[in-house]
Every structure is written in C-alpha cells, then in structure tokens.
Amino acid sequence: MTIRRFDGRVAVVTGSGRANGLGAAIATHLAAEGATIVVSDLDGDVDGVSGSIVAEGGKASAFACDVSDRDQVRALAAHAVECHGRLDIWVNNAGVGNIMKPLLEVSVDDWKRVIDVNLTGTFFGLQAAAEILVRQAEGGRIINIASQAAKSGFPFAQAYCSSKHGLVGLVRSAAIELGKHGITVNNVCPNHVTTGLGAWQNEYFAGMTGRTVEQYLADMAARIPMGRPGSSRDTALAVAFLASDEAHYITAESLNVSGGEEPH
Ligand SMILES: NC(=O)c1ccc[n+]([C@@H]2O[C@H](COP(=O)([O-])OP(=O)(O)OC[C@H]3O[C@@H](n4cnc5c(N)ncnc54)[C@H](O)[C@@H]3O)[C@@H](O)[C@H]2O)c1
C-alpha cells in the first residue's frame, strides 16, 4: 500500500523537467503520495514529467522558470497559488554541475553561472516560497537539494562546492527566522547519484583520473559503506520525509543521504 502523506498539499519542484534527474524522481514520489506538483524547469523541459505524473493518475502542472531570475521565480510561486490554490512544499532542486575545470582555468563567467543558479537561485526560491507560506500562516516545508559537496571538497568543482556549502549557511539562517511560522528549512545532501548531472561527472572524473567509467564507479562503490553510489529514489525518500508531518521538529539541518560516505 502506498502511503499518502501529501493529499491536499501543493509542492513546487524546481529543475524537475528532466526524465532521469533527481527533480523528476522527487516530483514523481511526492505525487505518488498525493501531492499536487508544479513541475518547473528551463524552457522546453517542463511538459514531459508533468505529463507522466498526470498519466499515472497524479495531479501536476508545468511552469517554465529560470531560477537565476528573481522575477521568474516569483511568477512560479504565484502560478502555484493561482493554479492550485495554495503552497505547502517547495523543493529547490535546480542546479548546474557540469562546469568543472582545474582551478587556474575557471573564468568569471564559469564562477558566476554556478553561483547564480545553485546558491542565488535557491535563495530566490526560498524567499518566494517563504513569502507565501508566511502569508498562509499554516506552516510549510522548504527543502534544498544541496550535495555531499556542501560538506566536503572535490577537485575541479570550486564554484559547485562553494555554492553547496553556502546552502548550509542559508538554511541555518532562514530556519531561525521562519521557525515561528511553523516553516522548516532543510538541505538534503546526496552523495554521487549516477543519473542526471552525476552521469556527466562520471565521465569527467574518470577521464581526469585516468580510469574508465566502470573503474571509477567500482572504486566509488568500494569506499561507500553501503557498497553503492546513491540513487534518485534515495534522495526522493529523504525529501518526502522532510516534507512530511513527521519531520515537523527538524529544521536548519543538512541531511546526508550518502550510504555512510559522508560522515559529517
Ligand atoms: N547527480 C548527482 O550526483 C547529484 C549529487 C548531489 C546533488 N545533486 C544536485 O541535485 C540537483 C539535481 O541534479 P541532477 O543530478 O538531477 O542533474 P540534472 O542536470 O538532471 O538536473 C538539474 C536540473 O536543473 C535544471 N536547471 C539548470 N539550470 C537551471 C536554471 N537556471 N533554472 C531552472 N532549472 C535549471 C536543469 O534543466 C535540470 O533539469 C542539483 O542541484 C545537483 O547539484 C546531484
């Protein structure tokens, strides 16, 4: 029997328009538990995932939004309320992870693009969601998809690691202000998931370290206590928990979903 913890609730998931991405897995899981989902992504990517949620009997709409543009993010939040009547859960999942270079080759544009989407875009989402949730005065959940790169450093990923570390400070600050409104603010920190941008990173890291992708993945599995890289389902389950009533006293956290790879 499927648990339905989110009947009557409305959730926005940014960056959820790619079929194999973490955002699509999160959106699909929340929908299966009863939530009405706003699937959002860059132009041209939004209709497929919302269409498949509806085809499975769920409720969803699609709304294109570049999270690095504050006006577009506010329009996304307004769409959730206009189209579905309310907002309960906001998942900041959109992210850029395929701009990876040795330190000395990173340009100003490389740096800004990653920070603008991963850190500033998450801030815009958090702010737009909080404005509605505070007004509704019924509490709410804001969840960011950070990363293991929010806790540890990785080579060739200076802006990515900085953006994700920045999310740890962002939830700690926002949670203090929003607690009195019954709104929790947390990060989920997955380790390496082999779909989505993780698939691109496999190729990049394997090439940079002189290994095949298969060798690279085998080495990764060997160092993870649970014996495998993460899956999109692992992340979706953690998001669903933090979005649920059971997690009502958990806020300001950055929850590792890493099979034990990330210990702090
Ligand atoms: N795959 C992994 O190994 C892994 C691990 C830890 C954290 N993450 C994080 O999970 C999130 C999802 O990543 P994924 O692995 O599913 O990769 P992905 O590339 O499939 O998903 C990222 C999504 O964000 C969207 N996006 C990019 N820029 C955007 C913008 N400006 N506005 C709106 N949407 C935008 C993309 O179109 C894409 O659909 C990211 O925040 C990523 O940093 C991924």
Side-chain angles (χ1 to χ4, degrees):
M1 191 184 72
T2 311
I3 321 168
R4 292 182 66 91
R5 291 177 286 188
F6 307 119
D7 276 331
R9 299 191 191 171
V10 176
V12 171
V13 185
T14 69
S16 57
R18 281 195 199 155
N20 289 320
L22 286 177
I26 293 162
T28 304
H29 186 95
L30 295 178
E33 287 207 41
T36 298
I37 308 294
V38 179
V39 173
S40 183
D41 211 306
L42 294 170
D43 244 348
D45 268 342
V46 285
D47 290 326
V49 172
S50 63
S52 55
I53 289 172
V54 172
E56 292 291 317
K59 296 184 279 292
S61 65
F63 195 90
C65 169
D66 178 342
V67 299
S68 65
D69 181 324
R70 189 171 183 237
D71 290 340
Q72 291 189 36
V73 177
R74 292 171 74 91
L76 169 61
H79 162 85
V81 176
E82 276 157 26
C83 191
H84 304 295
R86 57 181 295 107
L87 178 69
D88 300 282
I89 301 159
W90 184 289
V91 184
N92 288 304
N93 167 77
V96 174
N98 61 347
I99 300 176
M100 301 184 73
K101 289 179 182 173
L103 179 69
L104 301 186
E105 295 174 20
V106 177
S107 69
V108 173
D109 282 350
D110 295 333
W111 175 267
K112 281 175 68 74
R113 181 68 190 141
V114 176
I115 299 294
D116 284 355
V117 176
N118 296 6
L119 182 56
T120 311
T122 298
F123 167 68
F124 290 158
L126 190 157
Q127 195 182 44
E131 189 177 8
I132 292 171
L133 294 174
V134 167
R135 200 168 59 230
Q136 277 181 182
E138 294 177 50
R141 300 281 185 269
I142 300 172
I143 300 159
N144 307 322
I145 308 307
S147 171
Q148 186 177 11
K151 306 280 188 79
S152 290
F154 292 87
F156 320 123
Q158 312 80 12
Y160 188 79
C161 289
S162 301
S163 69
K164 297 297 187 177
H165 274 69
L167 297 182
V168 175
L170 180 61
V171 301
R172 288 179 178 163
S173 175
I176 297 169
E177 291 188 53
L178 295 174
K180 64 176 177 288
H181 300 286
I183 301 165
T184 67
V185 191
N186 293 292
N187 292 321
V188 170
C189 300
N191 66 338
H192 189 81
V193 179
T194 54
T195 55
L197 61 87
W200 184 91
Q201 288 173 346
N202 293 338
E203 304 248 357
Y204 182 84
F205 275 122
M208 291 300 275
T209 54
R211 288 173 281 180
T212 63
V213 171
E214 291 71 29
Q215 278 173 326
Y216 175 73
L217 289 173
D219 292 346
M220 185 188 300
R223 72 168 180 265
I224 297 172
M226 297 303 285
R228 63 167 175 83
S231 71
S232 54
R233 179 174 156 75
D234 298 327
T235 298
L237 287 169
V239 170
F241 168 65
L242 289 173
S244 73
D245 289 345
E246 288 83 354
H248 62 104
Y249 200 58
I250 300 173
T251 194
E253 294 291 345
S254 294
L255 174 68
N256 297 326
V257 180
S258 74
E261 185 182 14
E262 183 61 53
H264 66 286

